Amino acid sequence: MALKLNTLVAGEPTALPPLLIAHGLFGSARNWGMISKKLASDRQVIAVDMRNHGDSPWDAVHSYPAMAEDLAAVIEAHGGRAAVMGHSMGGKTSMVLALTRPELVERLIVVDIAPITYAHDQDSNIAAMRAVDLSQVKRRADAEADLARHVDDPVLRGFFQQNLRISPEGASWRVNLDALSDQMPVILGFPEGIGRPYEGPTLFVTGETSAYTRPENWPGIEALFPAARHSVIPGAGHWVHAEAPAPFVASVEAFLAE
């Protein structure tokens, strides 16, 4: 059953289908605010909080078919057809949506992820967030010392701190750490034999220094997405849109304008 996702909308409806943006693990619609505004000149942009993230509902199930149903419900509520862009976990969800509900997807943009199972996991990052003493957190910076004991990268620590909800009643996480930990094998995987190849226009955008999409992944990508093209953003890693926003936006705008 689809959950009703929280959405952030940029721009007004136009004659073109809207652009739906699905973020990655531990992300939120707010992370895409600047990108959404830049892309909203020609078509409305709808960024979502995925289930178990941001201000969207929590659920014990965090499978790609379930998340694809969530996205389908958003598209159906906004006219029934959309360009769809997803990063990482959101990219896998967007691929499953295109493979199973192609009539909803005008075109597809997959950002730095492949339709494969990955060997790494995010359990250490979940443990780092769980290690934060929320009773002592009055502002995001208060979590810094606790996170620093487990996460060396200051950029990553800042990213995690954006998931803190701070109110007069106390601090809490906007992400469902229990469900994400329980469903981590599902998140790392990709459902096999689902749907049929999506033949619509498809762009895979990858970071030059990222290892998430490798040359050996392309035969599998092209089998599922026969119209797929590839755009490499120089100097960018996995968080392509944050590390190189200008060339990322330029690449996406050119594809959307076709």
Side-chain angles (χ1 to χ4, degrees), residues 208-222:
E208 181 185 30
T209 65
S210 174
Y212 275 76
T213 305
R214 298 179 179 274
E216 59 265 30
N217 302 142
W218 279 100
I221 289 172
E222 290 170 345

Side-chain angles (χ1 to χ4, degrees), residues 76 80-82 98 100-106 196 198:
E76 289 168 342
R81 191 163 167 81
T100 56
R101 299 290 304 278
E103 73 280 4
L104 300 180
V105 183
E106 182 234 356
R196 61 187 185 275
Y198 173 73

